Amino acid sequence: QVQLVESGGGSVQAGGSLRLSCAASVRIFSFNAMGWYRQAPGKPRELVGLITSRGRTQYDDSVKGRFAFSRDDSNNTVYLQMNSLKPEDTAVYYCNAGIQTTGVIRPGLYWGQGTQVTVSS
């Protein structure tokens, strides 16, 4: 079974930074890509972006230039560096393993428990 554990969330002021981690129980290189999603209160879960096994990244327009993905395959961990945070970034952030990158992007079968990010104005 695949287990994903997110960490690094918290409360910050607008303009601040956070780095989220997603630690996997299996070799993440075996997946074509790892994804990040977020869900704000009363809103549907939305794709933040993804990072492929080769390190290629894709970001939602709302976070381009502010968020950055990275990965450490030796530790089976992916990271989401968030800078210049805005109140609208407030959400629970989820890691996803096995996200499909061909055609329409679809989540993989494996999800973490989520970590809360709260940005105050």
Side-chain angles (χ1 to χ4, degrees), residues 1-105:
Q1 294 183 353
V2 177
Q3 292 180 304
L4 305 174
V5 180
E6 300 98 335
S7 61
S11 298
V12 298
Q13 296 290 317
S17 298
L18 287 172
R19 189 176 75 154
L20 307 184
S21 299
C22 173
S25 64
V26 298
R27 191 166 180 256
I28 62 171
F29 193 74
S30 64
F31 297 104
N32 285 336
M34 301 288 291
W36 286 93
Y37 290 78
R38 65 184 180 184
Q39 187 168 25
K43 303 292 184 180
R45 189 169 298 185
E46 65 178 11
L47 177 68
V48 177
L50 58 87
I51 181 167
T52 72
S53 61
R54 292 182 177 269
R56 297 182 185 274
T57 57
Q58 182 175 331
Y59 302 93
D60 183 79
D61 287 341
S62 65
V63 304
K64 285 181 179 177
R66 300 188 298 117
F67 289 12
F69 304 130
S70 61
R71 57 191 293 147
D72 183 350
D73 291 333
S74 66
N75 289 316
N76 294 314
T77 302
V78 295
Y79 302 94
L80 170 52
Q81 178 67 47
M82 304 185 295
N83 299 320
S84 301
L85 283 163
K86 304 175 181 179
E88 51 263 45
D89 294 319
T90 295
V92 177
Y93 284 71
Y94 298 91
C95 181
N96 177 261
I99 186 170
Q100 303 300 303
T101 61
T102 57
V104 177
I105 297 175

